Amino acid sequence: MSKQLADSRQSYSMRSGALGTMGWNAPEVLDDSRKVNPTSAVDIFSAGCVFYYVLTGGKHPFGEPYRQTANIMDGKYNLNGLQKDKHEDIVATDLIEQMLNMEPQRRPSAESVLKHPFFWSLEKQLMFFQDVSDRIVNETLDGPIIQQLESGGQEVVRNNWMEHITAVLRKDLELRKGAYEEGSVKSLLRAIRNKKHHYHDSPKEVQETLGSIPDDFVSYFTSRFPHLLLHTFLAVRSFAEELTLQHYYLKSNTKLRRQKRTHPEPDVTTTKPTTKKM
């Protein structure tokens, strides 16, 4: 499904015929009206199809074989196969949507794909939550990083995150009166950081409800707040050059784009995506 691109070249020649396997190749390869040679972005598109195929056990984002080519040309995909127990895999959906963008220049680079939180281990996710919480602990509510973090935060915390954790953990957190704001993303991150730092000092029943660190511990929170990881990643990426955060992001952060959710940035990434769902 791919073709070798020499280091000195920026695009592929079409003289040797169409690139890739029908049903898996990018729209610019199929569209004879486009007068430019396709770039390595065609492989990102194909990889996005493959990612979805693997994650769903054999489904194709553009439907059945007899409809795939037409749907690719129309930009009509369906990622419903990423629904798990009635919950969407938010992180995987975000990555694949970027990779399937109709406009090749808006697809992420291979380096950006590999930096996406989809590929983070649970240990790295926990480190990220901790580092962000440490970074914002003394920030004021009107500061830019807090404003970005809390923008759209009600969906992340599900209006009141205290209502969605187990009673034993809620009781433990409530021992510190006024320490946590129930509708705040910053406060939720603080709770995650504090319980990680004081895990071994916590009562046995709290340790049991949270499970082992890092896997059970992280899954406890991300299963209850599925938007938390991606939301936080996108909210603080404007500060990606800072020492404590830079290893979570691609150095040239411009290629990692979000297509449909919150936190638009003042550049071309704010334009409405052209890809459509089936």
Side-chain angles (χ1 to χ4, degrees), residues 48-59 81-84 89 91-93 95-96 118-119:
C49 294
V50 174
F51 282 13
Y52 184 80
Y53 181 90
V54 172
L55 290 172
T56 59
K59 295 181 181 179
L82 296 176
Q83 299 278 341
K84 298 179 181 178
D89 189 333
V91 177
T93 299
L95 175 59
I96 293 174
F118 174 78
F119 289 104

Side-chain angles (χ1 to χ4, degrees), residues 99 143 156 159 206 231 253:
M99 299 173 76
V156 178
N159 296 318
V206 173
H231 174 90
N253 198 39

Side-chain angles (χ1 to χ4, degrees), residues 43-189:
D43 290 331
I44 298 297
F45 184 94
S46 297
C49 294
V50 174
F51 282 13
Y52 184 80
Y53 181 90
V54 172
L55 290 172
T56 59
K59 295 181 181 179
H60 196 289
F62 291 93
E64 297 300 322
Y66 68 93
R67 286 290 305 163
Q68 287 168 4
T69 298
N71 285 336
I72 290 172
M73 291 291 292
D74 292 337
K76 294 180 179 179
Y77 60 76
N78 187 323
L79 304 184
N80 288 343
L82 296 176
Q83 299 278 341
K84 298 179 181 178
D85 300 323
K86 298 182 180 180
H87 295 290
E88 179 186 6
D89 189 333
I90 303 296
V91 177
T93 299
D94 178 80
L95 175 59
I96 293 174
E97 281 183 340
Q98 293 184 54
M99 299 173 76
L100 298 184
N101 197 288
M102 284 287 285
E103 299 300 326
Q105 67 273 18
R106 293 179 58 82
R107 295 176 205 142
S109 65
E111 293 82 4
S112 295
V113 170
L114 293 175
K115 278 288 188 178
H116 194 277
F118 174 78
F119 289 104
W120 292 4
S121 66
L122 291 169
E123 181 179 17
K124 184 171 182 178
Q125 292 178 38
L126 182 55
M127 289 174 56
F128 177 69
F129 290 142
Q130 177 181 313
D131 286 342
V132 171
S133 185
D134 287 341
R135 166 63 179 80
I136 65 177
V137 64
N138 294 319
E139 289 285 334
T140 60
L141 293 178
D142 59 352
I145 192 168
I146 299 300
Q147 288 190 339
Q148 289 176 202
L149 191 65
E150 299 297 348
S151 176
Q154 289 303 301
E155 181 181 23
V156 178
V157 301
R158 300 170 65 189
N159 296 318
N160 182 337
W161 59 267
M162 279 282 196
E163 294 181 351
H164 302 286
I165 59 177
T166 47
V168 64
L169 179 58
R170 183 165 60 249
K171 181 179 179 181
D172 181 70
L173 293 173
E174 288 173 345
L175 292 175
R176 298 187 62 189
K177 296 293 185 181
Y180 300 102
E181 298 178 31
E182 298 172 345
S184 166
V185 178
K186 175 185 176 181
S187 189
L188 174 57
L189 291 172

